[in-house]
Amino acid sequence: MNLQELEQLCACAGVSGCENAVREAIIALLPKEATHTIDPLGNLIVRKTGTAAGKNTVMLCAHMDEVGLIVTEITEEGYLSFAHVGGIERRGYLGKQVLAGKRQVPGVIGLKPVHLLEGDEKENIPPEDSLRIDVGAESREAAAALVQPGERVVFAPGLTCFGDGYIKARALDDRIGCLILIELLRQALPYDMTAVFSTNEETGAGAAQAAAFALAPAYAIVVETTTAADLPGVEGTQRVCSLGGGAVVPFMDRGTVYPWDLYETAQTLAAAHGIPMQTKTKIAGGNDARSITTARGGIPTITVSVPCRGLHSPAVVMQQKDAEAVLQLVRALWGELTQK
Amino acid sequence: MRQMLFDLCGATGVTGLEREAARLAAEYLAPLCDAVRVDPLGSVLGSKAGEGAHILLEAHLDQIGLVVTGAEDGGFLRAAPCGGVDRRLLCGQEVTVHGTEDFFGVIPASAPHLAEKDSEKALPATALLIDTGLTRAEAERKAPAGSRVRFRTPPVALGEHRVTAPALDDRAGICALLRCMELLQGQRHAPVTVLFAVQEETGGAGAQAAAYGLQPAQALVVDVSFAQAPGVPATLAQGKLGGGVMVGFAPVLDQGMSERLCALAEQSDIAFTREIMGGRSYTDADKIQTTGSGVPCALLSIPLRNMHSAVETLDLRDVEATAQLLAAYIIEKGAAA
């Protein structure tokens, strides 16, 4: 896992519908033997020829977009009003720095100071329509020269490595999945490989469905991140999965009921290759698998995820060795399904 | 001035652990004073001779943060607020833990997929955790209980005049005093002692102890105060970013000094507003005025948004206005002597 490349991918602003910078960065990292096309919805489709064609086309998929904010209005005082794009952790952006619009203008999301709060205000998170982004503009005109309604806003912090092999960054969901696919495409391949870097996953709009229609694969593997709630005070199944527990393969989430035979295949392959694997102990989350599964009359799809703490917040945390387990398991599953 | 302020905000000074901020502030202060010393509680004092009655200039060194109270399985630290921390802002906050060594940590944000109701609530004070990425034993060794924790957000410029950083409360005050001392160089002025006090955020012990030994004729305290902001109307916040220095009026403050400061500001064309408080000022002025046989105090405040957060925001022009007014007052006192 090349951490510098991960940092580069996470630094790209790519809130849903504005994935251009991410797509450019991925293209720059592809091996020269790979060919790519961009479909009408902005999905990046990459193909690499292997030693043989392989029996089946297996669509590998990771999404390029990230959750963030969208500017809805500039107020008379020069503040930006905003709405959420994707399922954001509402508490995550309070009191944090952001980068607004195409020019990546630094701004902050502040709150009424703690000293001035009364009663319940101390305990409740104010609704987002009462919050504003302050970019230092002193009038509507000054702000409008920096950013326009409809432009996106990302969280500012970059990537930091800490502790024993832990990584903290903004858009690990799903830039880590993108990097895993890039790494796979760089390997010597026994069969032809098709990888989709999709748009608009976080909005649930499912641009991946269009890519699946066009590619008509026999199977699909979604490479993702998923929520780990392995914190002190969270017990049993509520923990969902754990950092350091290996690749996460769910049998079901809130978007997809996965084919049981594919789930079993993942377990068998993980055991055979000694790859750490875990499942999700709570039916939670959802991803592009829901869009791909229903494309073209049905495409059996499986998801392999990197467990992450603080998903959809400015500070997503993962462990490097889990990403390595995901890479190994995806490679094994891809080989198996290609020849199934 | 921006660079000096960014440097000062970058130094750690969580209440009780002001050493790094004290050292840096003392370095800036030394060339502007006759002598600089550190008192028994860790406050920095710089003196400069002059004509007339002795004036104390004060700003506080410390900043809010967290304090480690223990460790948990999985390498999480438990923490408690150190000073008035807003628990609504802590999810996903990056921090530096100042243990046996300094290291990175992050306050976990639970995922919205799981806890839709939780995401409407501030983190409870009893549930403050820091993810260290270490084992429990390592976390305990590197961050024994009592270790201080600071927000790790970098200082950033917002447009031409505004800046955002943690610890602007009250490094902006320190910055204003340093700038004032620059303005006094080569001028006839009253004798001054500059006090950068520890432990304001936990009640003002540093200022109280230091002022006792100085017995000044008057004190001018510089702190931050509330500025209007989104969701913060003028009824709650009398300051305005870019509106100039706020001159405090309160029962605990010396009315004559406050009025003189306003007159001087008008006379010298320094932007200012009045800040009216009905009782105490909730700054170190409250402690200084009752030390020894009593010290008449004035309070100058720099308007600040998002106080006690990692994105405190101010306008540099207001810091300059504060320094200008302080210098004008001290020069006037020296001329009268």
Side-chain angles (χ1 to χ4, degrees), chain A residues 37-60:
Chain A
T37 54
I38 298 167
D39 81 1
L41 296 186
N43 295 309
L44 172 66
I45 298 168
V46 180
R47 291 185 175 84
K48 187 181 155 188
T49 307
T51 314
K55 272 170 70 178
N56 306 310
T57 297
V58 176
M59 170 175 153
L60 298 171

Side-chain angles (χ1 to χ4, degrees), chain A residues 16-268:
Chain A
S16 307
C18 289
E19 299 90 351
N20 303 31
V22 187
R23 192 167 48 231
E24 293 305 315
I26 291 171
I27 290 170
L29 293 174
L30 292 174
K32 61 180 187 306
E33 316 87 79
T35 58
H36 68 266
T37 54
I38 298 167
D39 81 1
L41 296 186
N43 295 309
L44 172 66
I45 298 168
V46 180
R47 291 185 175 84
K48 187 181 155 188
T49 307
T51 314
K55 272 170 70 178
N56 306 310
T57 297
V58 176
M59 170 175 153
L60 298 171
C61 184
H63 67 88
M64 296 188 286
D65 61 321
E66 66 186 292
V67 298
L69 309 173
I70 185 166
V71 178
T72 52
E73 193 206 2
I74 302 173
T75 70
E76 202 174 320
E77 302 93 336
Y79 307 125
L80 314 181
S81 304
F82 61 87
H84 292 175
V85 178
I88 284 197
E89 164 59 88
R90 293 209 316 124
R91 296 178 296 185
Y93 57 71
L94 301 177
K96 306 294 191 305
Q97 291 181 4
V98 296
L99 298 169
K102 291 177 186 163
R103 292 182 186 78
Q104 298 279 282
V105 181
V108 298
I109 302 177
L111 277 182
K112 189 198 270 188
V114 63
H115 320 64
L116 303 177
L117 302 179
E118 285 172 24
D120 277 359
E121 283 187 316
K122 280 185 182 159
E123 303 300 331
N124 293 328
I125 303 298
E128 55 265 30
D129 60 10
S130 73
L131 302 170
R132 301 286 180 268
I133 299 167
D134 182 353
V135 291
E138 290 176 71
S139 66
R140 177 178 278 155
E141 294 69 35
L146 301 171
V147 60
Q148 289 293 317
E151 291 185 20
R152 311 291 201 268
V153 179
V154 296
F155 310 127
L159 182 142
T160 305
C161 296
F162 71 108
D164 306 325
Y166 286 75
I167 297 167
K168 184 276 329 171
R170 177 186 88 224
L172 286 173
D173 176 9
D174 185 27
R175 307 295 154 75
I176 184 64
C178 293
L179 186 61
I180 288 168
L181 292 194
I182 292 166
E183 299 252 359
L184 282 170
L185 285 160
R186 286 170 175 167
Q187 294 182 359
L189 300 175
Y191 316 114
D192 295 353
M193 182 177 273
T194 305
V196 174
F197 299 90
S198 62
T199 59
N200 252 308
E201 188 274 346
E202 295 295 359
T203 54
Q209 186 160 25
F213 176 86
L215 293 171
Y219 299 98
I221 305 171
V222 172
V223 184
E224 256 283 17
T225 54
T226 195
T227 288
D230 55 340
L231 305 176
V234 183
E235 303 297 338
T237 58
Q238 293 296 320
R239 292 169 75 87
V240 189
C241 58
S242 298
L243 267 61
V248 185
V249 182
F251 46 83
M252 181 176 166
D253 57 34
R254 286 175 67 184
T256 310
V257 180
Y258 294 96
W260 192 259
D261 62 324
L262 293 190
Y263 176 64
E264 280 186 337
T265 303
Q267 283 180 315
T268 308

Side-chain angles (χ1 to χ4, degrees), chain B residues 31-54:
Chain B
L32 303 170
C33 287
D34 303 329
V36 169
R37 65 187 170 89
V38 176
D39 86 353
L41 295 190
S43 297
V44 173
L45 294 143
S47 53
K48 189 165 187 297
E51 315 298 324
H54 178 204

